[in-house]
Amino acid sequence: MHGRVKVRTTEEEKARKEKEKQEKLKVFKHAMQKIWDKRKKEELDLELMELTGKVLTSNPDIYTLWNIRREILNIFRKDMESEGQQLVDLYDAELRLTEYCLKINPKSYCAWHQREWVLTTRSNPDWKTELALCNKYLKFDERNFHTWDYRRFVISQCKPSLKEEFDYTTEKLLDNFSNYSAWHYRSKILVDLHPDLEAGRPIEDEHHKHELKMVESAAFTDPDDTSAWFYQRWLLGAVKTTVDLVVCTISPLKTTVAFNEPVSKDYVQMTTNLLINDVSVNGEWLPCEGKKYNNVWIFKHNEIIGDNFDIKVEYNRENVDKLTILCIQKNSLYIGRNNISFQRKYSEPVIKELKKQLDSCRQLLTMEPDNKWTLLTTTFLLHCINAKHYHNEVIDILKTLQIKDKMHAGYYGDLITKWSIELQLEDDYRNEELELKVKFAEKISSLPHLHYYSFCENVNLFNQNLTSRVLSTLSVLQHCKKLSLENNNLTTLKGFPSLNLEELNLRGNKDLDMKEVEIFKQQNNYNVIF
Amino acid sequence: MSFNTKDVVLKEDRPKTLLLQKHSDYLAGYGLNKDDYEYCMTEHIRMSGIYWSLTAMELMDQTSRMPKSEIIEFITSCQDTESGGISASIGHDPHMLYTLSAVQVLAMYDRMDAVDVDGIVRFVTSLQQPDGSFFGDKWGEVDTRFSFCAVMCLSLLQKLEAINVNKAVDFVLSCMNFDGGFGSKPGSESHAGLIYCCVGTLSICKRMDALHADELAWWLCERQLPSGGLNGRPEKLPDLCYSWWVMSSLSMLNRIHWVDKNSLEEFILACQDAETGGFSDRPGDIPDPFHTLFGLAGLSLLGNSSIKLVNPTYCMPQETIDRLKLEPQVLHV
Ligand SMILES: [Zn+2]
C-alpha cells in the first residue's frame, strides 16, 4: 500500500501483466488451500513447514502462517527430550527464513517477531550473531525502527555495558548527524548512564554540558537538519521539576486548592490540610475537572466561613519541610498564595554553555538572518537563560517567525501567549492582584496556567484572540462571578463548563449563533450579555 | 528560508476538488471481483479492510452501498468460539487488530448482537500482561497498538473496567520519549502512528494530563513539509495516512491550528486518483481503501463540510460515538 507508483502502460502490456498475476494467484490459492486442509487434518509436519515457508517468502505478513510454523516447532520441541540436531536445524532454518523475508520487507512485523520468538524459545541463542545482524541492517538503513527495536531486544538479552551502546550512538551520529533514531536512543541511555543523583536533575552537569556541545557541532553544521534541534530542546527542558501547591481560595460557598501540575485525589488527601482557627477541618476532595488527575481540587466541608477568621493551609510533601500558607481575607474571599516562578534553573556550568551557544546563534543570524531554526533556537536560549530579562526580544523574534514560518504561526502565537502569561503571573502573584486581565499588548490565543487564576472573582478576557476550543478550560474558574469574553472569536458555546457566574459577556463574537446563545441563556441562571 | 528536506512537489494538473462520487464508486467496486489479485493478496487483513471501506462510506453518507448482511455474516463466522477473538478472515487466527476492526464495524451498524460479546471481552482481557501491556494474540508480541485496540474495543462494548486501566495507562506512559512522543514499546522511537495509538489510549482512559502536550504537539506540527503533507518521523517523506495520525493526535491535544490547514488540504486532495477514485499515500501512487479512509477522515478534521464529522480518538463517525454516549477526552488549553 506504500510507495507503489502508478505507471501508464499499453493495453497489451496490461493484459500480459494481468495474465502473469492470475497465474501467480492460482499458485497462491492452491498453496493456501493445501495449508488450510492440512491444518484442519492436524497434519502439523515438515511438509506443512515447507508449504507455509514457500508462501511466506513472497508474503511475509500472513500472520497465521507464522503461527502454524510455531505450532509445528512446538510439537517438535515437546517430542524431543533435549534439543537434538533436528530441532537445532529447524530453528536455524527458521532464522534463515526470517532473514530472507526481511530482505524483501524489512518492515515486516511478523518476520521480526518470529525471529525474536525463535531466539527466546531455543536454548543457547547466539546473541553476538544477532547484534552483528543489527549492525549490518543499520548500516543498510539507519532509520528502520524495527531494526532499532530488535537491537534493544538483543541488548536486553546479552547485556553489554551501557557505555558500549552509548558509544555506538556517538559513532552513528558522527557518521550522520541527521540520524534521529540515534539521537533518540542516546537520550534513553544518557539518563541511565549519567543521572544527577545529587541535585535531582535528570542529567549530570558535565554530561549535560557535553551533550549541548555535541548538539552545537551538529546543528551548526547544517541548521536545517532538524534532528539535533529536537535533542537540544529536550536538553534545555532537562531541569528539576516538582509538584507544588499554587493557590488556595476559601469563600463562604466554596474551598479550592490549585496545583502547578495535575494531581490525584490520594495526593491532595495526603499532602493538604485546611485549618480554620487552628482546627483541622474534615471534608472530602472533589475533582474540579471531573478526572482522576486535576489541577484544581474542591474541598467539600461543613464549616461556616465568617469574617476575620484565621485560615491556613498546610502542605506536607515527602522529603520537603512542611509549608504553611496563610490565607488572607480580601472582601468575602480568603486567598493563600504560594511563591511561584517559571524560570528554568540550570547549574552554573550549563548556564555558561547556554550563553556561549547564544553567542554562536547570534553570529549565525548575522550571516543568515532568516533561518527558522536559528531564530527559534535563539528564542529558546534567551528564554531559558533569563525569561524576564529577554522577554521583549523573545516576543519580537516569535513575531518574526510567525511571518517567516507561516505554516507554524499558530504554534508561535500560543508560545507568545504562554510566555507572556507566565511573566504576568509572577507579577500578579507578587502584587497580590485580585483580578485577571491581560496586561500586555499581544492578544492571547489560549489560556495556559488558567488554574493559577482560580481565585479570581473577576476575569476580563476582553478583546483577545480566543476561539471556542478554549471554553472547556474555563472550568477552573471556580470562584469567578464576572467573566468577559467580549470581542473574541467564539463560534459556538459547546463545551462551556457549568460555573456559578453572575455575569457573562459574549458581545462582539460575531460568528456566535444567536439561537444558540438564546438556548444557552435559558439553561443558565446568570446574566448573559450578547 | 532555505529548505532541503525530503518532500514531494505537487503538480499543477493534480486534483484540486474533492471527488466524492468517484471515491464512493471506487469503494463500492472494491472486492466485487473475488478473483482480483490485489483483493486476494490482502485476505490476511480483510477485517480491517472492511472497517476502512465502511467508515469511509459512512463519512461520505454512502453506507447503503456496502453489502451489510454479507459483512455481518462474515464477522460472525470469523469469531473463534474458543478464545472469543476475531480473525482477519475465515481460516485465519484471532488477533487483537481484527477483533477491534470487527467491533468498530458492528458499532457503526449497531449490530453487536451478531457476535459473542462476552467472548470478545474474555479474549481482550486475557491478553493483558502484569506490566499493563497487551499481547496481539497468544504468541506474545507486545506493542502499544494493541493497548489502544484493547481499550478502544472494550470502551465500544462499554466494558472498559474489565481490564486494569491504571496499569494499561502506566505501560503506555513508560513508552514516552524525550520528544514527548511514543513508540511501540518502552525504548522505541517516536512515530506518528504510534503517537496516535498512545494519545488515543490516554484519551479513552481520560489521562491526557500525563502528556507533555506542548513538546509533543510541537514535534507533531513539525511533521508538516513545504508541500503541505505530513511525515511520520523527522527526515521522512510525506504520506497521506499521516495526515490522520498527526491531525487526530493534534485534535485530541486541542492544537489542530498548529499546522497549516490550507496546504495540508491541497496535499490530501492531490493524493486522489482522478481516474479510478480512491486516495493513495502520495500523489501519483496506486490508491487503496486504507488511504481512502484516512484522506477523507483528515479532510473531515480540517472542517470539510461535505464529509461527516469524524471522531479523532475512534476514527469513526461522531454520530456513532454520540449514540454510544462515549466521551473520549480532549485536552484543555
Ligand atoms: Zn500511508
Side-chain angles (χ1 to χ4, degrees), chain A residues 335-406:
Chain A
I335 303 170
R337 291 181 181 82
N338 200 348
N339 298 317
I340 60 165
S341 167
F342 292 97
Q343 180 62 54
R344 301 186 197 194
K345 291 175 188 78
Y346 305 92
S347 69
E348 225 9 81
V350 171
I351 272 285
K352 242 173 130 180
E353 181 59 30
L354 295 184
K355 285 180 178 163
K356 228 184 83 209
Q357 298 203 0
L358 177 62
D359 289 339
S360 312
C361 272
R362 288 195 196 279
Q363 253 172 39
L364 270 181
L365 283 177
T366 56
M367 292 182 284
E368 226 189 307
D370 283 350
N371 187 283
K372 165 194 164 168
W373 289 98
T374 322
L375 283 168
L376 188 55
T377 305
T378 308
T379 66
F380 268 84
L381 287 170
L382 290 168
H383 179 79
C384 290
I385 292 168
N386 190 334
K388 192 172 178 173
H389 181 75
Y390 291 117
H391 185 71
N392 292 338
E393 188 179 352
V394 165
I395 300 298
D396 282 346
I397 304 177
L398 287 173
K399 283 183 184 163
T400 307
L401 278 164
Q402 277 188 308
I403 298 162
K404 303 221 184 249
D405 182 20
K406 270 204 190 67

XYZ file of all heavy atoms in Angstrom, chain A residues 335-406:
601
model
N -7.592 34.237 50.472
C -6.700 33.732 49.427
C -5.310 33.487 50.005
O -4.735 34.358 50.656
C -6.580 34.735 48.252
C -7.969 35.046 47.665
C -5.671 34.180 47.151
C -7.975 36.198 46.684
N -4.786 32.280 49.780
C -3.414 31.965 50.211
C -2.574 31.630 49.000
O -2.835 30.654 48.309
N -1.571 32.486 48.715
C -0.754 32.259 47.527
C 0.616 31.722 47.925
O 1.204 32.158 48.909
C -0.529 33.569 46.771
C -1.742 34.157 46.094
C -1.278 35.424 45.381
N -2.341 36.125 44.690
C -3.188 36.962 45.276
N -3.098 37.205 46.578
N -4.127 37.575 44.570
N 1.126 30.847 47.113
C 2.498 30.359 47.296
C 3.424 31.244 46.451
O 2.968 32.029 45.635
C 2.565 28.908 46.819
C 3.766 28.173 47.393
O 4.656 28.787 47.970
N 3.778 26.865 47.217
N 4.727 31.118 46.645
C 5.660 31.806 45.745
C 5.746 31.007 44.465
O 5.886 29.791 44.504
C 7.055 31.878 46.367
C 7.031 32.663 47.649
O 6.386 33.713 47.729
N 7.687 32.148 48.676
N 5.672 31.703 43.333
C 5.759 30.965 42.076
C 6.882 31.511 41.208
O 7.248 32.683 41.314
C 4.426 31.023 41.276
C 4.056 32.467 40.936
C 3.319 30.338 42.020
C 2.984 32.570 39.870
N 7.426 30.640 40.370
C 8.435 31.067 39.404
C 8.422 30.098 38.226
O 8.325 28.884 38.411
C 9.815 31.059 40.048
O 10.805 31.174 39.034
N 8.480 30.652 37.032
C 8.518 29.799 35.843
C 9.917 29.709 35.251
O 10.136 29.055 34.246
C 7.539 30.330 34.779
C 6.107 30.195 35.183
C 5.432 31.265 35.757
C 5.440 29.001 35.010
C 4.105 31.132 36.143
C 4.110 28.872 35.388
C 3.435 29.943 35.958
N 10.872 30.416 35.873
C 12.234 30.423 35.340
C 12.872 29.044 35.497
O 12.882 28.475 36.582
C 13.079 31.477 36.066
C 14.522 31.560 35.583
C 14.626 31.949 34.104
O 14.075 32.950 33.676
N 15.325 31.128 33.320
N 13.414 28.495 34.390
C 14.113 27.210 34.485
C 15.444 27.430 35.200
O 16.109 28.432 34.985
C 14.367 26.641 33.096
C 13.079 26.425 32.333
C 13.353 25.741 31.024
N 12.201 25.901 30.133
C 12.015 25.202 29.021
N 12.894 24.302 28.655
N 10.962 25.407 28.272
N 15.805 26.478 36.032
C 17.040 26.644 36.815
C 18.068 25.585 36.420
O 17.839 24.405 36.568
C 16.710 26.573 38.303
C 15.903 27.785 38.739
C 15.454 27.679 40.193
C 14.495 28.816 40.525
N 13.120 28.575 40.015
N 19.211 26.080 35.921
C 20.301 25.197 35.492
C 21.487 25.375 36.424
O 21.580 26.365 37.162
C 20.739 25.542 34.066
C 19.634 25.514 33.050
C 18.908 26.669 32.757
C 19.301 24.341 32.374
C 17.887 26.655 31.826
C 18.289 24.323 31.436
C 17.583 25.487 31.164
O 16.571 25.461 30.237
N 22.413 24.449 36.343
C 23.645 24.599 37.115
C 24.529 25.639 36.422
O 24.348 25.939 35.243
C 24.377 23.262 37.177
O 24.865 22.956 35.886
N 25.510 26.152 37.160
C 26.396 27.206 36.635
C 27.092 26.798 35.329
O 27.037 27.545 34.350
C 27.418 27.582 37.718
C 27.664 29.068 37.951
C 26.733 30.058 37.236
O 25.615 30.316 37.701
O 27.162 30.575 36.184
N 27.723 25.616 35.284
C 28.414 25.257 34.036
C 27.461 25.160 32.833
O 27.839 25.516 31.714
C 29.025 23.880 34.321
C 28.731 23.543 35.717
C 27.941 24.619 36.340
N 26.255 24.705 33.079
C 25.308 24.578 31.973
C 24.888 25.963 31.479
O 24.838 26.224 30.279
C 24.085 23.721 32.382
C 23.002 23.759 31.313
C 24.524 22.279 32.633
N 24.607 26.860 32.410
C 24.233 28.236 32.029
C 25.335 28.865 31.185
O 25.079 29.522 30.166
C 23.986 29.090 33.311
C 22.534 28.964 33.747
C 24.329 30.551 33.091
C 21.540 29.741 32.904
N 26.581 28.635 31.609
C 27.714 29.202 30.873
C 27.722 28.707 29.428
O 27.933 29.462 28.489
C 29.021 28.778 31.558
C 29.829 29.968 32.073
C 30.981 29.483 32.866
C 32.295 30.099 32.468
N 33.355 29.528 33.342
N 27.466 27.405 29.283
C 27.424 26.802 27.950
C 26.270 27.392 27.128
O 26.431 27.679 25.947
C 27.290 25.284 28.091
C 27.250 24.509 26.794
C 28.485 24.714 25.915
O 29.572 24.952 26.455
O 28.320 24.650 24.667
N 25.116 27.577 27.777
C 23.964 28.141 27.060
C 24.287 29.537 26.539
O 23.941 29.896 25.423
C 22.733 28.191 27.970
C 22.151 26.857 28.432
C 20.883 27.070 29.254
C 21.854 25.934 27.259
N 24.987 30.322 27.372
C 25.331 31.684 26.965
C 26.284 31.658 25.778
O 26.182 32.471 24.854
C 25.948 32.452 28.134
C 24.903 32.880 29.153
C 25.506 33.641 30.311
C 24.406 34.077 31.278
N 24.951 34.456 32.589
N 27.202 30.698 25.812
C 28.141 30.576 24.699
C 27.398 30.243 23.404
O 27.689 30.783 22.333
C 29.151 29.458 25.023
C 30.593 29.851 24.782
C 31.533 28.678 25.032
C 31.627 27.779 23.818
N 31.901 26.386 24.141
N 26.412 29.347 23.540
C 25.660 28.952 22.343
C 24.776 30.078 21.839
O 24.532 30.195 20.644
C 24.845 27.700 22.641
C 25.746 26.539 22.996
C 25.105 25.183 22.765
O 23.964 25.072 22.337
N 25.850 24.137 23.046
N 24.311 30.895 22.773
C 23.527 32.063 22.368
C 24.379 32.965 21.471
O 23.923 33.447 20.433
C 23.041 32.825 23.603
C 22.256 34.114 23.330
C 20.977 33.824 22.555
C 21.911 34.823 24.637
N 25.647 33.149 21.878
C 26.568 33.956 21.065
C 26.727 33.358 19.666
O 26.695 34.079 18.669
C 27.934 34.070 21.740
C 27.863 34.949 22.976
O 26.907 35.750 23.068
O 28.739 34.830 23.864
N 26.888 32.041 19.623
C 27.038 31.388 18.315
C 25.796 31.613 17.449
O 25.896 31.863 16.251
C 27.251 29.884 18.469
O 28.230 29.623 19.416
N 24.632 31.503 18.083
C 23.379 31.714 17.347
C 23.332 33.125 16.781
O 22.955 33.332 15.628
C 22.174 31.506 18.261
S 21.613 29.823 18.329
N 23.680 34.073 17.623
C 23.643 35.470 17.160
C 24.582 35.665 15.975
O 24.280 36.396 15.032
C 24.015 36.412 18.308
C 22.931 36.524 19.390
C 23.226 37.742 20.253
N 22.531 37.801 21.523
C 21.259 38.222 21.677
N 20.562 38.563 20.623
N 20.718 38.287 22.879
N 25.733 34.990 16.049
C 26.688 35.086 14.937
C 26.096 34.494 13.661
O 26.178 35.096 12.592
C 27.959 34.331 15.284
C 29.120 35.248 15.601
C 30.296 34.451 16.130
O 30.568 33.352 15.646
N 30.973 34.988 17.120
N 25.484 33.311 13.816
C 24.848 32.666 12.653
C 23.790 33.571 12.038
O 23.648 33.651 10.820
C 24.187 31.355 13.078
C 25.001 30.077 13.020
C 24.138 28.897 13.459
C 25.501 29.826 11.605
N 23.067 34.269 12.892
C 21.983 35.121 12.404
C 22.502 36.322 11.625
O 21.808 36.826 10.734
C 21.099 35.584 13.564
C 20.110 34.535 14.094
C 19.343 35.070 15.294
C 19.135 34.087 13.011
N 23.702 36.766 11.937
C 24.239 37.881 11.148
C 24.514 37.418 9.713
O 24.404 38.198 8.779
C 25.550 38.433 11.751
O 26.481 37.354 11.854
C 25.325 39.068 13.108
N 24.833 36.123 9.571
C 25.100 35.604 8.218
C 23.808 35.191 7.517
O 23.645 35.383 6.327
C 26.045 34.411 8.288
C 27.449 34.810 8.741
S 28.560 33.408 8.763
C 28.039 32.555 10.236
N 22.907 34.571 8.280
C 21.669 34.036 7.688
C 20.495 34.461 8.575
O 19.964 33.668 9.346
C 21.770 32.500 7.657
C 21.345 31.896 6.332
C 21.253 30.381 6.424
O 22.238 29.749 6.862
O 20.196 29.843 6.062
N 20.066 35.707 8.460
C 19.106 36.262 9.435
C 17.721 35.623 9.374
O 16.944 35.781 10.298
C 19.029 37.748 9.062
C 19.528 37.832 7.655
C 20.472 36.700 7.447
N 17.411 34.889 8.291
C 16.068 34.346 8.137
C 15.945 32.877 8.520
O 14.879 32.305 8.375
C 15.623 34.479 6.658
C 15.226 35.900 6.362
O 15.125 36.691 7.331
O 15.034 36.221 5.176
N 17.057 32.278 8.962
C 16.967 30.834 9.204
C 16.051 30.520 10.373
O 16.278 30.909 11.516
C 18.349 30.246 9.460
C 18.268 28.738 9.531
O 17.830 28.178 10.538
N 18.645 28.076 8.445
N 14.986 29.769 10.072
C 13.970 29.452 11.069
C 14.548 28.795 12.319
O 14.230 29.173 13.440
C 12.929 28.527 10.444
C 12.047 27.845 11.453
C 11.272 26.703 10.861
C 10.732 25.821 11.983
N 9.745 24.856 11.497
N 15.396 27.790 12.084
C 15.876 27.004 13.218
C 16.799 27.810 14.105
O 16.772 27.678 15.333
C 16.535 25.714 12.738
C 15.486 24.786 12.204
C 15.151 24.609 10.904
C 14.580 23.994 12.974
N 14.097 23.740 10.800
C 13.727 23.340 12.051
C 14.408 23.762 14.340
C 12.715 22.477 12.456
C 13.402 22.893 14.740
C 12.568 22.263 13.820
N 17.619 28.669 13.516
C 18.486 29.513 14.330
C 17.646 30.525 15.108
O 17.893 30.773 16.300
C 19.513 30.236 13.445
O 19.951 29.354 12.413
C 20.699 30.683 14.260
N 16.632 31.084 14.450
C 15.760 32.040 15.138
C 15.056 31.379 16.321
O 15.031 31.906 17.437
C 14.713 32.595 14.163
C 15.183 33.663 13.181
C 14.135 33.897 12.094
C 15.487 34.965 13.909
N 14.499 30.200 16.058
C 13.748 29.518 17.109
C 14.667 29.125 18.271
O 14.310 29.280 19.444
C 13.054 28.281 16.520
C 12.071 27.563 17.436
C 11.001 28.507 17.954
C 11.407 26.404 16.700
N 15.855 28.636 17.939
C 16.803 28.248 18.988
C 17.214 29.468 19.803
O 17.339 29.380 21.033
C 18.046 27.603 18.361
O 17.615 26.526 17.544
C 18.976 27.074 19.427
N 17.396 30.595 19.132
C 17.757 31.812 19.854
C 16.680 32.162 20.876
O 16.994 32.457 22.036
C 17.942 32.986 18.864
O 18.852 32.580 17.849
C 18.471 34.215 19.566
N 15.399 32.071 20.474
C 14.352 32.405 21.445
C 14.392 31.465 22.640
O 14.249 31.894 23.778
C 12.928 32.324 20.843
O 12.647 30.974 20.520
C 12.758 33.203 19.643
N 14.617 30.186 22.353
C 14.621 29.237 23.468
C 15.810 29.454 24.391
O 15.684 29.362 25.610
C 14.527 27.790 22.966
C 13.108 27.334 22.905
C 12.335 27.621 21.796
C 12.509 26.676 23.965
C 10.998 27.251 21.744
C 11.174 26.296 23.935
C 10.417 26.594 22.809
N 16.968 29.750 23.815
C 18.138 30.011 24.655
C 17.888 31.248 25.507
O 18.139 31.244 26.721
C 19.385 30.180 23.782
C 19.924 28.885 23.166
C 21.004 29.188 22.138
C 20.485 27.952 24.251
N 17.381 32.297 24.899
C 17.092 33.527 25.650
C 16.109 33.240 26.776
O 16.309 33.648 27.922
C 16.492 34.587 24.709
C 17.427 35.201 23.672
C 16.630 36.003 22.640
C 18.472 36.091 24.344
N 15.043 32.523 26.431
C 14.009 32.229 27.419
C 14.572 31.398 28.572
O 14.238 31.633 29.731
C 12.852 31.491 26.741
C 11.743 31.125 27.674
N 10.798 32.028 28.096
C 11.440 29.953 28.298
C 9.956 31.435 28.931
N 10.326 30.174 29.067
N 15.425 30.445 28.240
C 15.951 29.553 29.283
C 16.998 30.253 30.147
O 17.107 29.971 31.334
C 16.546 28.301 28.642
S 15.298 27.236 27.932
N 17.753 31.154 29.561
C 18.797 31.834 30.335
C 18.162 32.836 31.305
O 18.469 32.833 32.495
C 19.810 32.538 29.393
C 20.596 31.471 28.622
C 20.759 33.434 30.183
C 21.415 32.018 27.460
N 17.276 33.683 30.791
C 16.589 34.634 31.675
C 15.310 35.138 30.993
O 15.328 36.103 30.224
C 17.512 35.806 32.014
C 16.928 36.674 33.123
O 15.710 36.722 33.314
N 17.801 37.349 33.861
N 14.226 34.484 31.298
C 12.963 34.738 30.594
C 12.509 36.184 30.749
O 12.022 36.802 29.813
C 11.888 33.785 31.095
N 12.674 36.713 31.947
C 12.168 38.054 32.225
C 13.013 39.096 31.490
O 12.500 39.975 30.792
C 12.196 38.301 33.728
C 11.437 39.542 34.107
C 11.295 39.679 35.596
C 10.546 40.989 35.881
N 10.225 41.126 37.299
N 14.310 38.973 31.647
C 15.238 39.942 31.084
C 15.104 40.035 29.560
O 15.142 41.112 28.982
C 16.664 39.547 31.471
C 17.706 40.485 30.964
N 17.913 41.725 31.530
C 18.577 40.383 29.930
C 18.866 42.336 30.859
N 19.295 41.547 29.887
N 14.976 38.885 28.907
C 14.974 38.863 27.442
C 13.565 38.845 26.840
O 13.403 38.607 25.646
C 15.735 37.629 26.939
C 17.221 37.684 27.197
C 17.833 36.742 28.024
C 18.012 38.657 26.595
C 19.207 36.769 28.248
C 19.385 38.697 26.826
C 19.976 37.748 27.655
O 21.323 37.782 27.864
N 12.547 39.027 27.668
C 11.173 38.819 27.200
C 10.845 39.560 25.895
O 10.338 38.971 24.942
C 10.169 39.188 28.285
C 8.753 38.883 27.907
N 8.276 37.587 27.824
C 7.719 39.685 27.537
C 7.016 37.612 27.446
N 6.645 38.865 27.266
N 11.145 40.854 25.859
C 10.763 41.637 24.671
C 11.449 41.119 23.410
O 10.833 41.031 22.349
C 11.089 43.116 24.877
C 10.194 43.711 25.941
O 9.117 43.177 26.222
N 10.652 44.789 26.567
N 12.731 40.776 23.547
C 13.460 40.258 22.384
C 12.839 38.931 21.921
O 12.654 38.701 20.726
C 14.939 40.064 22.734
C 15.777 39.706 21.514
C 17.264 39.535 21.820
O 17.697 39.841 22.957
O 17.981 39.071 20.911
N 12.506 38.077 22.891
C 11.898 36.780 22.569
C 10.591 36.976 21.798
O 10.363 36.349 20.756
C 11.644 35.976 23.871
C 10.699 34.811 23.618
C 12.954 35.481 24.453
N 9.749 37.870 22.290
C 8.455 38.108 21.634
C 8.677 38.642 20.218
O 7.998 38.228 19.266
C 7.584 39.084 22.467
C 7.325 38.503 23.848
C 6.266 39.396 21.747
C 6.561 37.203 23.895
N 9.647 39.536 20.073
C 9.930 40.085 18.740
C 10.320 38.988 17.756
O 9.862 38.964 16.620
C 11.053 41.131 18.814
C 10.529 42.458 19.353
O 9.291 42.620 19.390
O 11.351 43.306 19.747
N 11.201 38.081 18.207
C 11.628 37.009 17.290
C 10.449 36.098 16.964
O 10.274 35.684 15.820
C 12.786 36.180 17.888
C 13.967 37.085 18.264
C 13.251 35.126 16.882
C 15.107 36.353 18.928
N 9.638 35.793 17.965
C 8.490 34.916 17.702
C 7.543 35.553 16.695
O 6.975 34.874 15.833
C 7.759 34.575 19.004
C 8.492 33.583 19.919
C 7.776 33.446 21.258
C 8.617 32.204 19.257
N 7.392 36.864 16.781
C 6.541 37.560 15.800
C 7.160 37.478 14.404
O 6.447 37.307 13.419
C 6.352 39.014 16.203
C 5.357 39.205 17.341
C 5.194 40.688 17.613
C 4.296 40.958 18.797
N 4.494 42.348 19.284
N 8.485 37.582 14.338
C 9.178 37.427 13.058
C 8.922 36.032 12.497
O 8.634 35.856 11.317
C 10.697 37.617 13.247
O 10.914 38.853 13.915
C 11.429 37.614 11.923
N 9.025 35.036 13.388
C 8.805 33.653 12.952
C 7.381 33.445 12.440
O 7.157 32.680 11.499
C 9.096 32.690 14.107
C 10.574 32.346 14.317
C 10.792 31.711 15.688
C 11.070 31.391 13.225
N 6.422 34.114 13.056
C 5.030 33.982 12.593
C 4.898 34.380 11.124
O 4.066 33.851 10.410
C 4.096 34.854 13.433
C 3.681 34.197 14.735
C 2.619 34.994 15.455
O 2.785 36.192 15.677
N 1.532 34.337 15.842
N 5.749 35.306 10.703
C 5.701 35.749 9.299
C 6.567 34.849 8.414
O 6.158 34.399 7.368
C 6.176 37.219 9.192
C 5.234 38.112 10.008
C 6.230 37.664 7.735
C 5.812 39.464 10.331
N 7.790 34.541 8.886
C 8.737 33.791 8.051
C 8.384 32.310 7.960
O 8.720 31.654 6.979
C 10.152 33.918 8.614
C 10.574 35.365 8.724
C 11.998 35.571 8.297
C 12.409 37.002 8.506
N 12.604 37.722 7.253
N 7.790 31.766 9.000
C 7.424 30.343 9.000
C 5.912 30.254 9.213
O 5.435 29.746 10.221
C 8.194 29.627 10.129
C 7.900 28.137 10.164
O 7.441 27.580 9.142
O 8.129 27.514 11.228
N 5.182 30.735 8.228
C 3.711 30.882 8.326
C 3.016 29.583 8.710
O 2.011 29.594 9.402
C 3.158 31.350 6.974
C 3.099 32.842 6.823
C 2.046 33.223 5.780
C 2.130 34.699 5.440
N 3.398 35.051 4.735
